[in-house]
Amino acid sequence: MRKTYSVNKISMITVFPPGARRDVIQKILTERWGIKSIPGYLDEDAKLFQAYEIRGVPFSVLFDAKGVEIARFEGMPGKNAIEAAFRKALGK
């Protein structure tokens, strides 16, 4: 059974590194990942990548509704780790 999360409690975006092409970003989001509702952004000046000292992708940060960081993932963390972080964000 697939778990779903209410979009009014959690928002998600994807950010790609400097040098990534917008057409490639769109193709990765829709064709490879099957994502149609999560916006993808290009960090052209690498400000987010520098602020979080990102050395590789994927890199994920999950915040609660108050903007407090709950979890940080480098690489592919796996389904269980992601679900646990979302439950924590939702207070469940």
Side-chain angles (χ1 to χ4, degrees):
M1 181 174 174
R2 184 179 213 176
K3 293 187 180 192
T4 58
Y5 297 94
S6 173
V7 292
N8 62 356
K9 293 187 179 184
I10 294 177
S11 296
M12 181 181 277
I13 66 166
T14 57
V15 180
F16 289 84
R21 292 185 7 217
R22 292 186 188 277
D23 60 324
V24 173
I25 292 170
Q26 192 62 38
K27 187 173 185 175
I28 289 170
L29 288 173
T30 58
E31 294 178 20
R32 188 183 303 171
W33 296 350
I35 298 172
K36 296 178 177 39
S37 61
I38 299 173
Y41 298 98
L42 179 61
D43 187 10
E44 293 176 350
D45 298 326
K47 290 180 182 178
L48 284 173
F49 278 72
Q50 290 171 4
Y52 285 96
E53 299 178 350
I54 299 170
R55 291 174 178 71
V57 291
F59 181 89
S60 306
V61 182
L62 181 63
F63 299 93
D64 68 10
K66 296 177 183 173
V68 176
E69 184 178 320
I70 292 177
R72 188 179 288 208
F73 303 109
E74 294 185 51
M76 296 298 285
K79 179 182 173 182
N80 291 338
I82 293 170
E83 285 185 352
F86 272 63
R87 281 193 300 276
K88 184 176 178 182
L90 293 170
K92 296 183 177 187

